Amino acid sequence: MRVRAITALFFVIIVVASMLLGVYVFSAFFILLSAFCLSEFYRIIADETGQPSRLLGLLLGILAFGLFVGHSLGLLTSDYLLFTTPFIAAVFIAPLYQKQNKPFISIAYTLLGIVYVILPFVSFFALSFTTGTYDYRFPLGFMLILWGNDTGAYLIGRFFGKRRLFERISPKKTWEGLIGGVLLAVITAQVLAHYFPVLTNWQWAGVALVVSIFGTYGDLVESMLKRSQQVKDSGAVLPGHGGLLDRFDGLLLAAPAVLAFLKIVL
């Protein structure tokens, strides 16, 4: 438990610092982080059914994210995103030179990693440009709410949880934990509304509800992935916590949903 707490503290400091140190540090850190998460996904999904093109997928993911960053910073036009086209084509061409019984499963796995991991991280990065220029308060607020939701769900679920939320996929999750997560997320959002007035109270509360709902589903989806592949953790890079994908599973569905929510309300 002590190792887990120390790891969590240092990781939170690093993530928060990446946002506060400016857009270039933020961009580089999350491009690298998304690449590690994608690598973990490819390691989990690979089996006798299909082997994703790991190197091509990583190159495509990093390139796509990097080009989006360049576009957001005004360094590149949207036309540069077309540079991803040869890599997408290569994902389909590579299996021609490999002996696989079902090559399209490998193609699907490779592209699924981009959709499941890279696009959500790109959406999270896009939150920082909600107003058109870099503003760390949006991604930082998102992460604080997500952490609040996870903390509330863990504490309430551990001490008061009785009714299973989705026992087939995640036996430890309970309805009581879900409610606790939502409550702490909303409370966190109201504190943010005071210190980060870029959104109104009800808008921050809306973000909290979206994060709680989609973050919980993101956690369940990753649990479904690991259970289907008979894997306990996505990796071992974080002592006491498992892999990076385990720490950001809630973000994968919540970030695109929050981005859509903000585009609507703003």
Side-chain angles (χ1 to χ4, degrees), residues 49-67:
T49 304
Q51 297 285 331
S53 299
R54 189 168 180 171
L55 180 59
L56 279 174
L58 288 170
L59 289 174
L60 175 59
I62 292 172
L63 177 62
F65 202 154
L67 290 174

Side-chain angles (χ1 to χ4, degrees), residues 121-236:
F121 273 102
V122 169
S123 298
F124 175 73
F125 174 84
L127 290 176
S128 64
F129 284 84
T130 299
T131 58
T133 56
Y134 179 71
D135 191 334
Y136 71 87
R137 292 175 291 182
F138 288 98
L140 178 56
F142 173 95
M143 291 305 303
L144 292 175
I145 290 173
L146 183 62
W147 290 333
N149 176 74
D150 291 345
T151 302
Y154 173 76
L155 293 176
I156 299 300
R158 181 177 181 182
F159 293 105
F160 303 102
K162 294 181 179 180
R163 300 171 182 82
R164 303 301 176 189
L165 177 64
F166 224 113
E167 189 169 6
R168 179 173 59 87
I169 299 298
S170 185
K172 293 183 179 181
K173 289 194 178 300
T174 62
W175 282 101
E176 291 82 2
L178 174 64
I179 294 172
V182 172
L183 289 176
L184 190 53
V186 172
I187 292 172
T188 303
Q190 295 312 297
V191 175
L192 287 170
H194 178 73
Y195 290 100
F196 292 171
V198 287
L199 296 175
T200 63
N201 288 70
W202 77 266
Q203 289 171 338
W204 275 119
V207 170
L209 291 175
V210 173
V211 167
S212 295
I213 294 171
F214 285 91
T216 300
Y217 273 117
D219 193 341
L220 289 169
V221 167
E222 202 237 358
S223 294
M224 179 174 64
L225 168 65
K226 292 188 295 184
R227 184 173 289 271
S228 67
Q229 297 299 98
Q230 299 181 349
V231 173
K232 184 179 185 296
D233 295 316
S234 67

Side-chain angles (χ1 to χ4, degrees), residues 13-31 65 69 73 124-125 128-129 133-137 139-140:
I13 292 173
I14 292 172
V15 172
V16 172
S18 72
M19 302 177 196
L20 299 181
L21 290 175
V23 65
Y24 292 104
V25 174
F26 176 61
S27 303
F29 178 76
F30 274 90
I31 289 175
F65 202 154
V69 169
L73 295 175
F124 175 73
F125 174 84
S128 64
F129 284 84
T133 56
Y134 179 71
D135 191 334
Y136 71 87
R137 292 175 291 182
L140 178 56

